[in-house]
Amino acid sequence: MKNFEARYHEWLDGALSPAEAAAFERELAAPPHGIDPTAERSAQAALGDLLRRHVAGAPPMPHGDFFNSELQRRIAADAKETQPAAAEPAALPAPGWLQSLLGRLTLASAACLLLGVVGYRAFVQPQLIDPTQRPETEYLASVLETKTATSAVSATSFSLPAEKATVLWLSGTEHIEVEAFAKEDPSDEPNEPDAL
Amino acid sequence: MINSGPPPAGAENEDIDLVRRSQAGDSRAFDALVTKYRNRLYAMVFQMVRNEQDAWDLTQDGFFKAWKSLDKFRGQSSFYTWIYRIVTNVSIDWIRKRQLRPEGEFDDSVARTDIDPTADVTPKGGVSPERALERHELPDRIDAAIAKLTPEHRAVILLKEIDGLQYHEIAEVVGCSIGTVMSRLFYARRKLQTLLKDLHEKF
């Protein structure tokens, strides 16, 4: 069931059937409305005419061309405001103290990591290699070379895990002159080779 | 003369083409739409706010808002209805912000006689019909009567009587149900009829 206002407009627009219109006019004339249907219809028609005539006499839009150009100017200004932000990447903010600190920490961490890798490769990794696969201990040979009087002497070491022993093999000691030993420690006897 | 009433049927296809081009960034196409509807919208806004400069600015704001929201227009209603909705809402918001209350603005001696809205004759007041005929009084009386309506009632009566929109179009424009439109329209009519009874019976 449509409400009174909906039926009123259908009646006013002539959208009701004759029977519906007659029923509505009886309702309109009865309390609480008490509206004379004929007078109401003509009053609404007159009101519409009055409003339309009034609007027809209203001033047209002044400066229509300026209206358009002003609108285009606003649109262009708005586009200019929004486009740079979209086209250009946002500028990086100036590094703050936190970013500076983080940068330095990163560099320090990288340096520590590099030193760690070098140290590992130089000192730890060689020790982890299976000793049976390691014919020489370069570190030991190097130390001995610095201690030998002549470069003709060389040292070779290897370990025997089964015997829990490390062997140091010296060769070339025959080239060491007896006097050299005598000068350093007169009590030492020159030895024939060469094993410890 | 203001060209009121809805656009002809073929105009909607033309509008759709212009809207598509506008959505693609063609500001000239949007300019064509503005030229097409600016006078009607200005007339409607002018009737709502009763001031040329405010009406000009509000119509401008409405079109600018429409341009910025153009990507949201899906074509579910006509562009004509859609732009009306935007401009009407801009006007209603402006009236609310200005807190334009019509009470107290209407100075009419006939009104003091407490007209019965249901009376079918003009009460005998102190104003002669000849005086009501005076050129400057008539527009002022109508303006004042319209100003006595709430913004929502003002919008529906103008959209119906001046722009000739259908009820469902008015409902789309003001964003409410058809039932609400009819209810608002009924009370707007009754109030205007009361306020202008002496005028429209003579003209």
Side-chain angles (χ1 to χ4, degrees):
Chain A
M1 180 70 177
K2 291 177 180 173
N3 64 18
F4 176 79
E5 288 85 3
R7 284 179 290 124
Y8 171 87
H9 284 98
E10 287 181 346
W11 168 76
L12 204 59
D13 296 340
L16 295 178
S17 68
E20 289 172 329
F24 182 77
E25 287 174 5
R26 282 195 297 276
E27 184 184 349
L28 198 61
H33 309 296
I35 299 172
D36 175 31
T38 309
E40 177 69 10
R41 193 183 286 280
S42 63
Q44 289 301 330
L47 177 65
D49 287 343
L50 194 66
L51 289 174
R52 282 186 287 275
R53 272 191 291 152
H54 178 59
V55 172
M61 171 183 272
H63 316 298
D65 290 341
F66 177 65
F67 182 89
N68 284 41
S69 63
E70 176 65 8
L71 188 60
Q72 290 294 326
R73 186 198 62 75
R74 287 178 70 180
I75 289 170
D78 180 66
K80 202 173 180 180
E81 274 181 20
T82 53
Q83 273 178 354
E88 292 174 10
L92 290 173
W97 64 271
L98 183 61
Q99 284 175 313
S100 176
L101 181 63
L102 286 174
R104 290 179 186 181
L105 282 174
T106 304
L107 281 175
S109 300
C112 287
L113 184 63
L114 184 64
L115 284 173
V117 169
V118 169
Y120 176 85
R121 294 292 299 272
F123 301 108
V124 179
Q125 194 176 32
Q127 303 300 324
L128 295 178
I129 295 174
D130 184 357
T132 58
Q133 303 299 317
R134 186 176 55 188
E136 296 179 347
T137 302
E138 292 178 4
Y139 174 71
L140 187 57
S142 156
V143 170
L144 289 176
E145 280 174 8
T146 58
K147 292 292 185 182
T148 55
T150 170
S151 60
V153 178
S154 66
T156 303
S157 67
F158 55 90
S159 72
L160 300 169
E163 283 78 21
K164 296 182 179 177
T166 300
V167 177
L168 176 63
W169 183 268
L170 298 174
S171 61
T173 51
E174 67 273 16
H175 298 292
I176 302 173
E177 294 178 3
V178 177
E179 292 78 26
F181 286 100
K183 283 179 185 174
E184 287 185 2
D185 187 355
S187 62
D188 288 345
E189 291 291 333
N191 291 330
E192 282 296 309
D194 274 333
L196 288 175
Chain B
M1 174 71 86
I2 304 299
N3 180 19
S4 63
E12 284 197 14
N13 291 333
E14 185 191 1
D15 285 0
I16 290 169
D17 179 53
L18 289 170
V19 168
R20 296 282 173 267
R21 285 165 50 197
S22 302
Q23 286 175 327
D26 184 351
S27 60
R28 287 189 180 184
F30 188 69
D31 194 58
L33 287 167
V34 172
T35 302
K36 187 173 182 179
Y37 290 114
R38 69 186 181 199
N39 285 332
R40 284 182 203 176
L41 289 168
Y42 171 80
M44 193 268 290
V45 176
F46 177 81
Q47 293 305 324
M48 290 186 74
V49 303
R50 301 180 303 124
N51 178 284
E52 282 190 33
Q53 186 59 54
D54 292 335
W56 201 93
D57 290 342
L58 289 169
T59 311
Q60 178 88 191
D61 290 346
F63 274 113
F64 184 66
K65 199 170 178 181
W67 166 261
K68 293 193 66 118
S69 308
L70 209 54
D71 57 333
K72 294 175 188 163
F73 178 72
R74 302 282 177 230
Q76 291 168 338
S77 61
S78 65
F79 176 77
Y80 168 73
T81 306
W82 185 73
I83 187 71
Y84 258 70
R85 178 175 194 159
I86 292 174
V87 176
T88 302
N89 286 335
V90 166
S91 304
I92 289 175
D93 288 346
W94 183 87
I95 293 168
R96 282 184 184 145
K97 284 177 187 168
R98 287 281 298 261
Q99 295 184 326
L100 280 182
R101 291 288 175 264
E103 286 73 21
E105 296 177 8
F106 187 42
D107 180 18
D108 180 61
S109 57
V110 177
R112 293 188 206 120
T113 61
D114 294 325
I115 304 169
D116 176 4
T118 60
D120 55 3
V121 294
T122 307
K124 296 293 181 186
V127 179
S128 67
E130 290 77 17
R131 189 174 172 206
L133 273 168
E134 285 176 16
R135 221 173 172 182
H136 298 293
E137 187 180 352
L138 183 59
D140 290 347
R141 285 283 308 279
I142 297 172
D143 283 345
I146 292 171
K148 284 213 167 218
L149 303 174
T150 64
E152 290 80 7
H153 287 172
R154 209 180 299 183
V156 294
I157 192 76
L158 292 172
L159 291 168
K160 175 64 180 168
E161 292 297 338
I162 308 301
D163 295 292
L165 266 59
Q166 300 298 311
Y167 298 114
H168 73 274
E169 291 176 317
I170 299 172
E172 282 181 28
V173 167
V174 298
C176 65
S177 68
I178 293 176
T180 303
V181 168
M182 288 182 167
S183 178
R184 288 178 183 175
L185 202 48
F186 177 76
Y187 289 104
R189 285 182 191 281
R190 301 305 299 168
K191 187 153 191 173
L192 288 179
Q193 192 178 353
T194 302
L195 297 170
L196 301 173
K197 194 171 185 65
D198 63 315
L199 292 180
H200 65 69
E201 281 186 348
K202 297 298 175 188
F203 299 102

